[in-house]
Amino acid sequence: MTDSRTKYSFYVEQNALEATDRPRRFLEAFAAVLEHSSYNLPLDVYSRASVRCGRCAADCQLYQSTREDRDIPCHRSELLLRVYRRYFTRSGALAARFGNGFTLTDEYVDEMAEAYYRCTACRRCKLTCPIGIDHGLITHLARWLLAEVGIAPKALVVATREQLEGVGNTSAIPVPALKDTCEFLEEELKENFDVDLKFPMDVEGAEYVFFPAVSDYLLEADTLMGNAAVMHVTGGSWTIGTGNYDGINYGLFYSDRMMERIVKNEVAEVRRLKGRKILIGECGHATRSAWFVPTFCGPDAPEVVNCMQYTARQLREGRIPLKPERIEERVTYHDPCNIARAGRITEEPREILRAICRDFVEMTPNRTENYCCGGGGGTVSIDEIRKFRTGPLGRRKADQIRATGAQIVVSPCANCKKQLREVCEDNDLKDVQVVGLHDLLLKVLDFGPAREAARRAAGEPAADQTAGSPTVLARSNV
Amino acid sequence: MHAWLEWARGPAFVFCFSFMLLGLVRHVGVTIWEIRRTLRRAGDRSLPLTAIVKATLTWLLPADRLRREPLFTATSILFHVAILVVPIFLAGHIALWARAVGVSWPAIPNALADVLTILAVVTAAGLIAQRLAARATRALSKPQDHAILILLALPFVTGFLVMHPGLNPFDYESVLFVHVMSGNLIFLLMPLTKLTHAALLPGTQVVAEIGWHWPKDSGSRVGAALGKEEEPV
């Protein structure tokens, strides 16, 4: 007998061989998650109480444009609930014995992968479901289980790898480049606003340790300058930690395992710097994932504050001086799902916008009921699906923006901003500008009092009052 | 037929009704137990209680949804009100309870019961029509979703005929038998089918919130269970 392997020199990719093994590994991961996390409660209740009424379809922007069955939120959730019932409940096992022949197959895993990544996990359908099923939670779990069998968007995995095992952040910005960028921004601020402002680095004992979406250092310099300017005029005690300066957490989109590691890195940096609070920049999912800090690290973990919460409070307390000029263009506000859907941050940005804009209009619907930009759940990072994102997913958003007639769309979220720009480009809204909230605030911020204080502190004589008296806006006169 | 009717009203009813009661209590008990366990293990035990209470009330009394989907919401609300009020507050039913176990409670006038009964049947038909007409709902529907609506309407149709013998073309006792047995069947199916939502609905909002409250270190524990601690990203 000759060894067949020497006769036929076949070679099989390890991955290709494992592909047929995915159902088993999916179920193993499912079992581990049920044991060590606490998804059994919602799965149990939802799989027993779901009534298949189809109300969610009316509220899903994706289903509204594609009209495909697989895009009905309830249908999508049912994909995972069926697996749960069949393999993890006694009644399901019994039903299977009596001939309900559902078996988890490779094709079924593919079907789930497709369905759960067409959904942006915006959780809008939860508001319509008469039973109150949180379809976003099911998508969140399904994506994690899929990731455990090796199905996750490359863009998200590569960025997370860079963050956890590479340079230390998703945009692969090394510390010297970060410092250069911040120095450049300081010069910009000096040149444009005549203000001596520092981006504090590694200051120990600061109240806030700052975690923006790290991509802001490359793409959204105005937002960062706005953040720094607000901290400057309000005398806030803050710092950027060179050990970790990235708030992005793609774990929220595909794996609790990654999310936990990233969240713990943030906490470790705050502890290293002996800081007290985590200050998140203008980023929706960075904020929501940081809200999971106590979940993964326990109740003693540092408090999480979004920069808009900080700014709105300072504005309310009259500590943010504004120039007499206001933003004249018509401005509208897009609520990022991750911070607005549960109603946690909806009013703060509006307070700020009403204070700085002359013509602020709302989109309808707004706040907790706002439509997703179409790039949620990490899909915005996948450039290959831009057509899908700005078409079926983003069309509703484009219509919403068009209806307001606004020239400026404000969104305090790096992902929403990228997606909204592409939505506007692809949907014939070329004149609409998409900016962050602190970008706009920077334009009307009055550095006069801060300059004055600095001069006085340095023992220089007071400068003449320049044109227009600075107005400090309190909430009452907005 | 008389013996059959006695059996349906007697042992069959007692069995089905107890089965429903115990089944639903078990569902609620298991859910409360799981909520407690989840909260005890959760890393973050703070809950937005006001928001949850508000959401629960909004879900139980979906008034704001009338504005968004008036036809479906109105049909659904009327259907639920009718099928809950009539069986519990019908004078005839209360009399049976009083005779059997000696407790009674105020009844609704029979005229109102008639209106609600007709309403139950009409709205059940409306819900079936909606299930067939709306594309998304049709896609989600399984045969049992239609069957259960028909089953729910059956005791109301037969009950109306029993209450109005003049309009009843069939044998009185046979209709009453169908009435009692369809009711029994509903009781039996309550804990076994999606009708369970009758008991679980008040808890779904708190479940949706607690569903996000995972145990401390749950991510890494799952990683360890799968032997993936050292695995590169």
Side-chain angles (χ1 to χ4, degrees), chain A residues 198-216:
Chain A
K198 284 272 166 263
F199 280 78
M201 296 272 172
D202 286 336
V203 177
E204 281 200 9
E207 183 175 3
Y208 296 102
V209 180
F210 186 50
F211 295 93
V214 80
S215 53
D216 282 5

Side-chain angles (χ1 to χ4, degrees), chain A residues 35 39 48 51-53 55 59 63 67 126 129-131 134 148 161 165 260 264 288 294-295, chain B residues 27 41 43 59 68-69 72 130-131 135-137 145 194 197 204-205 212 214 217 219-220 228 233:
Chain A
E35 187 181 346
Y39 288 98
R48 282 182 287 165
V51 295
R52 295 183 290 274
C53 69
R55 289 310 95 197
D59 260 16
Y63 177 74
R67 299 273 160 185
K126 187 205 166 235
C129 178
I131 303 294
D134 193 341
E148 295 300 350
R161 187 177 297 150
E165 289 162 359
E260 179 187 317
K264 284 185 169 170
R288 178 140 172 259
T295 296
Chain B
H27 280 305
R41 295 164 75 209
W59 254 262
R68 281 158 64 168
E69 272 189 294
F72 172 80
Q130 188 271 344
R131 246 182 208 286
R135 216 187 144 278
T137 316
D145 293 316
K194 65 174 186 177
H197 76 264
T204 52
Q205 289 307 309
W212 296 94
W214 311 305
D217 304 320
S220 40
K228 290 185 175 179
V233 176

Side-chain angles (χ1 to χ4, degrees), chain A residues 438-478:
Chain A
H438 284 78
D439 314 24
L440 277 194
L441 180 57
L442 180 63
K443 290 186 183 170
V444 295
L445 208 58
D446 183 10
F447 290 102
R451 257 195 309 264
E452 236 15 74
R455 283 209 184 93
R456 234 173 284 130
E460 289 172 23
D464 297 342
Q465 281 284 334
T466 40
S469 60
T471 30
V472 178
L473 273 167
R475 196 187 191 183
S476 52
N477 56 14
V478 173

Side-chain angles (χ1 to χ4, degrees), chain A residues 325-331 356-359 408 439-441 443-444:
Chain A
E325 301 93 63
R326 293 288 174 270
I327 308 292
E328 297 292 339
E329 292 95 335
R330 173 169 285 192
V331 175
I356 64 173
C357 301
R358 226 179 277 289
D359 187 10
I408 298 180
D439 314 24
L440 277 194
L441 180 57
K443 290 186 183 170
V444 295

